């Protein structure tokens, strides 16, 4: 099982948990019961916020994996940075490349995005 499949599986699991939390939160309760459920509801809402953040992080990681697909491993991170809008100087410093290599990667990323 590849990284894409694992990331997608985790994203689906997180989405299922979010759906479960939303179903729990949508249930109608009598007013007296609502006051008793306040701490529980707060905890669920905090968990939901954490799950949403985890899902956003997984989506970002999946986008980076997809961007790096089909690129030599040493240039995968640089290609992902290029596709996310980072300039050549920053790519060069982050990936330990020359500015010329980073500019070439930017050009390749633009070409792939256009074609």
């Amino acid at each position: 099982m590849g990284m894409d499949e694992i990331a997608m599986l985790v994203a689906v699991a997180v989405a299922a948990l979010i759906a479960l939390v939303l179903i729990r939160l949508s249930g109608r309760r009598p007013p007296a019961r609502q006051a008793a459920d306040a701490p529980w509801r707060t905890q669920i809402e905090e968990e939901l916020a954490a799950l949403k953040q985890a899902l956003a992080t997984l989506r970002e990681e999946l986008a980076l994996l997809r961007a790096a697909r089909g690129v030599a491993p040493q240039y995968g991170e640089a290609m992902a940075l290029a596709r996310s809008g980072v300039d050549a100087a920053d790519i060069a410093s982050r990936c330990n490349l020359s500015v010329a290599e980073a500019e070439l990667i930017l050009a390749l990323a633009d070409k792939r995005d256009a074609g």
Side-chain angles (χ1 to χ4, degrees):
M1 187 179 292
M3 292 299 293
D4 283 350
E5 290 84 9
I6 291 171
M8 190 59 69
L9 184 63
V10 170
V12 168
V14 169
L17 287 172
I18 289 172
L20 179 63
V21 168
L22 290 175
I23 290 169
R24 282 185 172 176
L25 289 175
S26 69
R28 303 273 186 217
R29 302 225 186 251
R33 179 74 189 223
Q34 286 179 350
D37 286 346
W40 174 82
R41 185 178 183 100
T42 302
Q43 180 184 2
I44 294 295
E45 288 171 346
E46 290 171 358
E47 289 177 19
L48 178 61
L51 289 171
K52 285 180 179 179
Q53 180 60 42
L55 182 59
T57 301
L58 287 172
R59 285 183 175 156
E60 290 173 11
E61 290 177 7
L62 182 59
L64 289 174
L65 286 171
R66 286 182 176 158
R69 195 177 348 171
V71 177
Q74 64 268 31
Y75 296 110
E77 181 183 3
M79 182 64 79
L81 290 170
R83 286 191 170 160
S84 66
V86 177
D87 68 11
D90 285 343
I91 292 172
S93 66
R94 288 186 192 182
C95 299
N96 198 26
L97 300 172
S98 69
V99 174
E101 285 177 302
E103 289 172 348
L104 178 60
I105 289 169
L106 279 171
L108 288 172
D110 287 342
K111 185 175 181 179
R112 282 190 176 188
D113 290 341

